[in-house]
Amino acid sequence: MPTMDTEQQLAARRAILQHPDAQDCTVYRADEQDPEAEEVDLGDAKVLFCGPFEAPADWDAAEREDYFGESAPELFVNARIESEAKPGSADHFTVDIGDYVAAQSGEGEVVMFYVHDYLEDDTGCTYVLLRDEEVLE
């Protein structure tokens, strides 16, 4: 897996935080000690949606079923997410598989996403999010 140097990371971070299409969001993580507890609010971030997730052409039916499970493939989207807190600060966080993202659309509605997977390359981390079909006001 290629790793980015610090300059590349900062440039990728800035590009997402300053992108005109990036939406405000809040990231939550399940409490590992108490699965019944409320999720922990990790903080505010920016999410940049990059289009639908497309399964690789070489995946067979079993791999697709494994990946998508019971969820409709059209509910999966690619996104870049960056914490608004300064890297290295106590409030900074990195999104991980299993986290939840509450994205605020331009119309003021909140759409929830589950962080299903991620892909990392020399431009940064692209998350695969699963949209919750229930819309919150």
Side-chain angles (χ1 to χ4, degrees), residues 116-134:
H116 183 72
D117 200 1
Y118 69 90
L119 311 161
E120 196 167 3
D121 62 21
D122 60 2
T123 65
C125 197
T126 300
Y127 295 94
V128 179
L129 306 180
L130 172 57
R131 187 178 80 231
D132 186 334
E133 294 184 279
E134 186 178 323

Side-chain angles (χ1 to χ4, degrees), residues 18 23 27 38 44 50 52 58 67 73 85 98 102 116 118 120 125 129 132 134-135:
Q18 296 172 352
Q23 297 177 16
V27 178
E38 283 287 309
D44 293 331
C50 307
D58 62 347
Y67 195 86
H116 183 72
Y118 69 90
E120 196 167 3
C125 197
L129 306 180
D132 186 334
E134 186 178 323
V135 175

Side-chain angles (χ1 to χ4, degrees), residues 77-128:
V77 296
N78 290 325
R80 307 294 288 263
I81 305 170
E82 280 294 335
S83 168
E84 290 185 337
K86 184 179 181 195
S89 72
D91 293 337
H92 186 266
F93 60 89
T94 302
V95 177
D96 202 359
I97 292 171
D99 288 348
Y100 294 93
V101 177
Q104 181 99 25
S105 74
E107 292 81 49
E109 63 185 24
V110 176
V111 182
M112 292 296 293
F113 294 88
Y114 174 76
V115 180
H116 183 72
D117 200 1
Y118 69 90
L119 311 161
E120 196 167 3
D121 62 21
D122 60 2
T123 65
C125 197
T126 300
Y127 295 94
V128 179

Side-chain angles (χ1 to χ4, degrees), residues 16 21-25 45-49 79-81 101 103 129:
I16 294 162
D21 294 330
Q23 297 177 16
D24 292 332
C25 70
K46 290 285 188 182
V47 59
L48 179 62
F49 293 101
R80 307 294 288 263
I81 305 170
V101 177
L129 306 180

Side-chain angles (χ1 to χ4, degrees), residues 45-77:
K46 290 285 188 182
V47 59
L48 179 62
F49 293 101
C50 307
F53 170 75
E54 308 251 343
D58 62 347
W59 281 10
D60 62 23
E63 287 172 303
R64 288 174 188 277
E65 189 175 318
D66 249 9
Y67 195 86
F68 295 117
E70 300 290 316
S71 302
E74 59 270 13
L75 295 178
F76 291 79
V77 296

